[in-house]
Amino acid sequence: MTELDVRMLQERLAAFAAARDWGQYHTPKNLASALSVEAAELVEIFQWLTPEQSARVMEDPGTAPRVADEVADVLAYLLQFCEVLGIDALAALAAKIERNELRFPVPEPTDSTARHSSE
């Protein structure tokens, strides 16, 4: 199996939509709305689960495929949204991580932490 990449997936999604003349509906507003709906469908699966149940959701053969399908739907709409607006999703994520690393630095060890870590 060949390795998947974001660009190839975006091209496949665009071709899929174009073949069905759906491009006219793929405005940023509509794609953002669809992304929100799909994210809500993912949340719905977890709505009444305990934290412990939610941690094991992929062990349930009835639920695991539903979770994977909703994740795929969310990602598909996100990639289409990025394509329409010309956003490089991976570059945007890398930049956001860098900003967060600066915004939320790792705390310096306290004296008591430093003593325990050297023991």
Side-chain angles (χ1 to χ4, degrees), residues 55-112:
R56 295 188 312 272
V57 73
M58 296 308 286
E59 297 169 10
D60 181 341
T63 307
R66 291 178 50 220
V67 172
D69 278 351
E70 295 306 336
V71 166
D73 288 342
V74 168
L75 183 57
Y77 279 117
L78 180 59
L79 291 178
Q80 291 173 89
F81 180 81
C82 289
E83 174 72 16
V84 165
L85 291 179
I87 297 170
D88 179 331
L90 297 182
L93 177 57
K96 181 66 174 186
I97 292 169
E98 288 176 23
R99 285 193 306 276
N100 282 344
E101 288 171 339
L102 293 173
R103 187 174 171 202
F104 304 105
V106 176
E108 294 293 324
T110 62
D111 287 339
S112 62

Side-chain angles (χ1 to χ4, degrees), residues 24-36 77 81:
Q24 60 186 319
Y25 307 110
H26 286 189
T27 64
K29 178 191 119 356
N30 288 350
L31 291 168
S33 295
L35 175 59
S36 175
Y77 279 117
F81 180 81

Side-chain angles (χ1 to χ4, degrees), residues 19-60:
R20 290 153 182 83
D21 197 27
W22 291 351
Q24 60 186 319
Y25 307 110
H26 286 189
T27 64
K29 178 191 119 356
N30 288 350
L31 291 168
S33 295
L35 175 59
S36 175
V37 169
E38 294 302 337
E41 289 179 9
L42 180 60
V43 170
E44 182 181 30
I45 295 169
F46 293 87
Q47 185 173 8
W48 303 114
L49 299 180
T50 65
E52 295 78 19
Q53 290 169 323
S54 70
R56 295 188 312 272
V57 73
M58 296 308 286
E59 297 169 10
D60 181 341

